[in-house]
Amino acid sequence: MVKQGKWDEYRGIISALVTPMHDDESLNVDALATVVENQLQRGVEGFYCCGSSGEGPLLSLEERQRILRTLVGQVNGKVPVISHVGAVRTADAVYLAQHAELDGADAVSLVPPYYYKFSKAEIIAYYRKVLSAISIPVIIYNIPQFTAVELDAEIAGALLTDEQVLGVKHTSHNLYSLERMVAQYPEKVFFNGFDEIYLSALSAGATATIGTTVNLQPERFIAVRDAFRRGDFALARALQQMINDAVAFMVERGIFQSAKYLAGRHLTDLGPVRAPFTPLTPAQKKALDALDDTIRETIAHGKG
């Protein structure tokens, strides 16, 4: 049983926010503010910046700080703001976490240190160093496809006993691992991280999602959650299939390139993804336009 009232403001549909840039790859903070305001109007219930979708590993420390300050200012307390502060160097993660707290983030999240094969003890020490440096909540970020580290109940369990640890962002298809963590730590918040398994993650006990395609189809995620809560599983599955059709289409053209392009299509040009990512071709953009039109039409007619 989830402890009511504990971390409830985080149990929502959270956008893994894209990072707008100018053609020269410099940050476009004006466009960022526009995107944030639009997503708030469409029902987004929180923002997660400088993660995978926001090209976080390709940004400088100063750029990550600037993005967060812009986001906090635009949100103005309406919904939670989570800043990803993960880095290979513990000192960089601590630096970003401390400045995130000073700049008004509600919580921080971080991947384990990557590239080198760090030991379990080294990974736990990295997290504890950040925890001891700040007073705001911390979300552990499990994304083994990028870090080669599976933060399962054994490793995460060493940290989930800490009251400052809000929960886990679980970007993994291992739903058994998710269910085991939920069963052992029901008071924590478990965020689904793969859009394509949102409904399955809800069944495993997740109570929130942080998603790339929330940038362009937040209404569908809200509808899946509402149908799941009502027990209308046939509708929930149909809506999840619509989400997945969009995800599959975007993955074929580059998920991060596609999400950034479509997040700004009706607002403002959000620019390229940062190299070494390759830009979308005109043909790919045309195909994505057709996808976006379909998404918006079905949402407008109440069909998902």
Side-chain angles (χ1 to χ4, degrees), residues 158-185:
L159 299 164
L160 284 166
T161 54
D162 192 312
E163 291 186 1
Q164 193 181 346
V165 175
L166 191 160
V168 176
K169 181 179 188 289
H170 188 71
T171 307
S172 168
H173 289 112
N174 188 343
L175 294 178
Y176 172 73
S177 176
L178 172 62
E179 186 276 333
R180 289 291 80 197
M181 288 189 286
V182 171
Q184 292 180 54
Y185 304 97

Side-chain angles (χ1 to χ4, degrees), residues 3-290:
K3 184 178 179 180
Q4 295 299 312
K6 184 69 171 177
W7 312 124
D8 277 356
E9 65 270 31
Y10 296 94
R11 302 181 195 275
I13 307 301
I14 297 172
S15 174
L17 197 61
V18 298
T19 298
M21 297 178 187
H22 297 290
D23 287 340
D24 64 359
E25 295 191 358
S26 62
L27 297 185
N28 186 344
V29 293
D30 291 336
L32 178 64
T34 299
V35 168
V36 169
E37 187 58 35
N38 175 262
Q39 291 189 16
L40 284 171
Q41 292 173 8
R42 295 178 68 183
V44 166
E45 298 165 342
F47 292 97
Y48 186 100
C49 70
C50 301
S52 304
S53 305
E55 302 168 68
L58 300 177
L59 303 171
S60 70
L61 301 187
E62 188 280 330
E63 286 175 323
R64 291 167 75 168
Q65 291 176 256
R66 190 177 178 205
I67 288 165
L68 175 61
R69 287 194 294 267
T70 301
L71 176 57
V72 168
Q74 189 64 36
V75 169
N76 195 26
K78 298 182 183 74
V79 297
V81 170
I82 304 165
S83 180
H84 175 252
V85 299
V88 177
R89 291 201 326 155
T90 300
D92 288 343
V94 168
Y95 173 86
L96 287 169
Q98 290 176 327
H99 280 273
E101 181 169 18
L102 290 172
D103 289 336
D106 296 289
V108 299
S109 173
L110 60 163
V111 295
Y114 49 90
Y115 186 78
Y116 297 106
K117 292 184 178 180
F118 295 104
S119 69
K120 173 183 174 181
E122 288 168 333
I123 292 169
I124 292 171
Y126 159 89
Y127 278 104
R128 286 182 172 156
K129 190 76 172 179
V130 173
L131 283 161
S132 66
I134 59 175
S135 61
I136 58 177
V138 172
I139 300 166
I140 301 166
Y141 186 177
N142 182 39
I143 184 165
Q145 72 178 48
F146 288 164
T147 64
V149 177
E150 180 76 43
L151 295 178
D152 56 14
E154 180 184 359
I155 298 179
L159 299 164
L160 284 166
T161 54
D162 192 312
E163 291 186 1
Q164 193 181 346
V165 175
L166 191 160
V168 176
K169 181 179 188 289
H170 188 71
T171 307
S172 168
H173 289 112
N174 188 343
L175 294 178
Y176 172 73
S177 176
L178 172 62
E179 186 276 333
R180 289 291 80 197
M181 288 189 286
V182 171
Q184 292 180 54
Y185 304 97
E187 76 282 4
K188 302 294 186 177
V189 182
F190 291 91
F191 303 82
N192 171 63
F194 273 136
D195 294 357
E196 63 269 25
I197 59 169
Y198 177 45
L199 177 58
S200 300
L202 287 175
S203 299
T207 55
T209 198
I210 298 172
T212 302
T213 70
V214 173
N215 281 278
L216 57 124
Q217 51 182 354
E219 297 88 350
R220 285 179 170 176
F221 287 89
I222 294 169
V224 168
R225 181 186 62 192
D226 292 348
F228 177 81
R229 288 177 174 175
R230 293 195 307 270
D232 190 344
F233 302 122
L235 176 59
R237 285 194 299 271
L239 290 163
Q240 182 66 61
Q241 184 175 2
M242 292 181 184
I243 290 172
N244 290 0
D245 287 344
V247 169
F249 193 89
M250 293 166 67
V251 165
E252 290 179 1
R253 291 151 183 84
I255 186 66
F256 301 127
Q257 295 95 319
S258 299
K260 180 183 280 193
Y261 172 69
L262 292 181
R265 183 184 172 218
H266 290 279
L267 300 172
T268 185
D269 182 9
L270 302 187
V273 282
R274 184 163 283 182
F277 282 122
T278 57
L280 294 168
T281 66
Q284 288 174 325
K285 289 182 178 181
K286 184 176 180 180
L288 289 166
D289 288 345

